[in-house]
Amino acid sequence: MAKSFVATLVLALMALPSEAFFGTKSMMSPPSKAPPAPKPALRMPKYDFTDDKFLEQVFDNNKKWAEAKKAADPTFFSNFEAGQAPPILWIGCSDSRAPPNTIMGLEVGDVFVTRNVANCVNPGMDNSLMSVVQYGITALMCSHIVVCGHYGCGGVAASMENTDHTPPLEQWLVQIRDTQRIHAEELRRISDKDERTKRLVELNVVEQCMNLFKTGVVQKRLTETLSVVQYGITGLMCSHIVVCGHYGCGGVAASMENTDHTPPLEQWLVQIRDTQRIHAEELRRISDKDERTKRLVELNVVEQCMNLFKTGVVQKRLTETYKNPEYPFSLPRIHPVVYDPATGYLKELDVDFSTKIKQLGDIYTMYFPEEQE
C-alpha cells in the first residue's frame, strides 16, 4: 500500500480570457491588438429534456453504450459481479462539467465517488460523505483520495458574496467562508476578482484535504499503511533495505530555506532541518551552496538509515539473524544510496553503521545481545 495515499487535484475547466467575462475593451484600445474574444455561449444539452419522451433517449443511449462495451470485451460487465476494487476515492463538486471518470479518462469501476457543492469535507455535518470515506478506506481499501475543485465553481463564488443564500445552502457555504477567513490576508492582496476567486478555489481544496487529515478514519489508515517497513521485514523477509536520496531534491532544498512552507509540508521538512542541526558544523564549512545542498542530501540519507535502526522491528530482526548459521550476516542490511539525475548513476555512501550502532549501544538495545557483530 502506498505510504502517502491522499492526493490533491485542482482542475481548470474555465481557461477563458478575461474579456470573455467582462465584454469588449474600450474603443480607445490600440488598433494593432486583436479583437476581444466573444463571450462564450452557454452549452445546451444535446437532447431536448423538456420532451416527455427524453427518457427513451436516455435508455436508448444506455443500451448502445452497454452493447458497445460487451462487443469490445465480452467479460466487461461479468467482471463486476464479484464486487469493486477502485484505487481512487473521489471527492468532487456536483458541477455537471466535472464528471470524475470522464475527465480522468478512467473506466467503470476505477473510481469510488462522492460529490457535493464546492467539494467540501465537513465531518461534523456531512454523514453521507464521511460514510463514503469510511467505506472507501476501510472496506474498499482505496489507495488514493482525490479532492477535486474546479475553476468557475458556483459554490465558491457564492461564498464570496455578502448575501444570505438561506439554509441549507447558507449553512453549507459557511465552511468556504472559513477558508476565506483563514487566508484573508493572501486573498485581499489579489485585486482582480476572477483571480481572487480562482485562488479561493485552490485554497478550498487544500482546506478540505486538511479536514480529511483530521478524521480518525484517515489517521488510522495512514498509521496502518506506514508500516511498510514492518511488513517488508516480518512478512516478506526482505534482506536489504535501500534508502535512496537524489541530488537536486526539492524537499532538501526547501528545508534549507528560511521559509514557512505551511503544514503539512512544513511539518514534514522539520525532520530534514533536524539533520541540518545535527550536522550544522560540517555544513557551515561548505561555502558553495550547491555543494552544501548535495552534502545535506547525503547526510539526510544517512540519518534516515539511522532512523530505521532505531525501530523495534529492525532491531528485533537483526537480533534474530545475529550469528544464526542460516544467514551469512545479520539482516536486514541497510544501504545508504544517492542517485545523481545528471549522470544517471547510483552511489552507495561509505558509512560504517556497525561502528555507529556500537557507539549508540546504550540507546538502541531493545533486542540486541550484549555482543554485537
Side-chain angles (χ1 to χ4, degrees):
M1 192 64 69
K3 180 178 179 180
S4 177
F5 79 112
V6 181
T8 305
L9 178 62
V10 182
L11 299 179
L13 301 180
M14 299 287 284
L16 297 171
S18 59
E19 293 88 342
F21 297 99
F22 295 108
T24 58
K25 294 182 180 178
S26 168
M27 295 299 291
M28 299 300 293
S29 299
S32 58
K33 289 189 177 181
K39 187 175 181 180
L42 180 65
R43 180 193 176 279
M44 299 305 292
K46 182 178 179 180
Y47 306 105
D48 182 8
F49 287 98
T50 60
D51 189 327
D52 288 341
K53 296 183 178 180
F54 81 91
L55 270 180
E56 293 180 11
Q57 184 66 61
V58 170
F59 285 113
D60 184 53
N61 289 348
N62 170 252
K63 184 178 180 181
K64 291 177 181 177
W65 171 80
E67 289 175 351
K69 287 294 183 184
K70 284 187 286 187
D73 178 6
T75 65
F76 182 82
F77 292 106
S78 60
N79 288 336
F80 292 119
E81 291 180 3
Q84 59 174 326
I88 297 173
L89 193 167
W90 177 279
I91 300 173
C93 182
S94 300
D95 195 296
S96 63
R97 298 166 295 176
N101 294 57
T102 303
I103 62 179
M104 290 191 290
L106 297 179
E107 265 292 359
V108 176
D110 290 342
V111 191
F112 191 53
V113 178
T114 181
R115 300 169 72 179
N116 59 47
V117 173
N119 43 272
C120 289
V121 177
N122 190 325
M125 179 188 293
D126 193 347
N127 288 332
S128 174
L129 179 138
M130 288 311 301
S131 297
V132 170
V133 170
Q134 182 174 354
Y135 186 73
I137 292 174
T138 62
L140 300 179
M141 298 294 181
C142 295
S143 302
H144 303 275
I145 298 179
V146 176
V147 177
C148 180
H150 67 96
Y151 300 128
C153 178
V156 171
S159 76
M160 301 183 79
E161 301 169 355
N162 289 320
T163 303
D164 181 358
H165 296 279
T166 70
L169 179 59
E170 183 59 34
Q171 295 165 314
W172 191 258
L173 295 178
V174 164
Q175 55 198 319
I176 312 176
R177 292 200 173 108
D178 281 342
T179 300
Q180 281 187 265
R181 175 179 53 80
I182 294 168
H183 300 279
E185 187 175 344
E186 176 185 350
L187 291 168
R188 286 177 185 139
R189 290 198 297 266
I190 304 173
S191 57
D192 183 85
K193 183 180 178 181
D194 281 351
E195 291 303 315
R196 186 164 63 250
T197 306
K198 283 185 177 181
R199 182 56 182 152
L200 181 56
V201 166
E202 298 169 347
L203 292 170
N204 182 53
V205 169
V206 174
E207 288 300 321
Q208 304 316 316
C209 287
M210 293 305 298
N211 286 342
L212 276 173
F213 279 118
K214 297 173 187 176
T215 64
V217 65
V218 169
Q219 291 185 31
K220 184 174 185 292
R221 186 64 182 148
L222 281 170
T223 302
E224 293 168 351
T225 55
L226 287 174
S227 60
V228 173
V229 171
Q230 182 173 359
Y231 180 67
I233 293 174
T234 62
L236 302 179
M237 298 295 179
C238 295
S239 301
H240 300 270
I241 299 176
V242 177
V243 178
C244 182
H246 67 94
Y247 298 129
C249 175
V252 170
S255 75
M256 301 183 78
E257 301 169 356
N258 289 322
T259 302
D260 180 358
H261 297 279
T262 72
L265 177 59
E266 185 58 36
Q267 295 164 316
W268 193 258
L269 295 178
V270 164
Q271 55 194 325
I272 311 177
R273 291 202 172 106
D274 280 343
T275 299
Q276 280 187 265
R277 175 178 53 80
I278 294 168
H279 299 278
E281 188 175 341
E282 175 185 351
L283 290 168
R284 286 178 184 139
R285 288 197 298 266
I286 304 173
S287 57
D288 184 84
K289 183 180 178 181
D290 287 344
E291 292 301 316
R292 187 164 63 249
T293 306
K294 283 185 176 181
R295 182 56 182 155
L296 181 56
V297 166
E298 297 171 346
L299 292 170
N300 182 54
V301 169
V302 174
E303 287 300 320
Q304 303 319 315
C305 289
M306 291 302 299
N307 285 341
L308 281 170
F309 280 116
K310 297 174 187 178
T311 63
V313 65
V314 169
Q315 290 187 33
K316 184 178 181 182
R317 184 64 178 155
L318 285 168
T319 304
E320 291 170 347
T321 57
Y322 175 69
K323 288 189 175 180
N324 187 322
E326 295 182 14
Y327 304 98
F329 42 75
S330 296
L331 300 176
R333 279 289 200 248
I334 298 178
H335 306 273
V337 173
V338 175
Y339 173 69
D340 188 347
T343 65
Y345 291 120
L346 289 169
K347 178 176 77 173
E348 185 162 14
L349 302 178
D350 185 14
V351 182
D352 185 359
F353 284 121
S354 295
T355 300
K356 284 180 174 289
I357 295 302
K358 285 179 180 178
Q359 292 171 346
L360 301 171
D362 57 332
I363 301 174
Y364 304 142
T365 54
M366 283 187 280
Y367 295 95
F368 276 24
E370 291 184 4
E371 182 188 358
Q372 295 181 25
E373 179 180 30

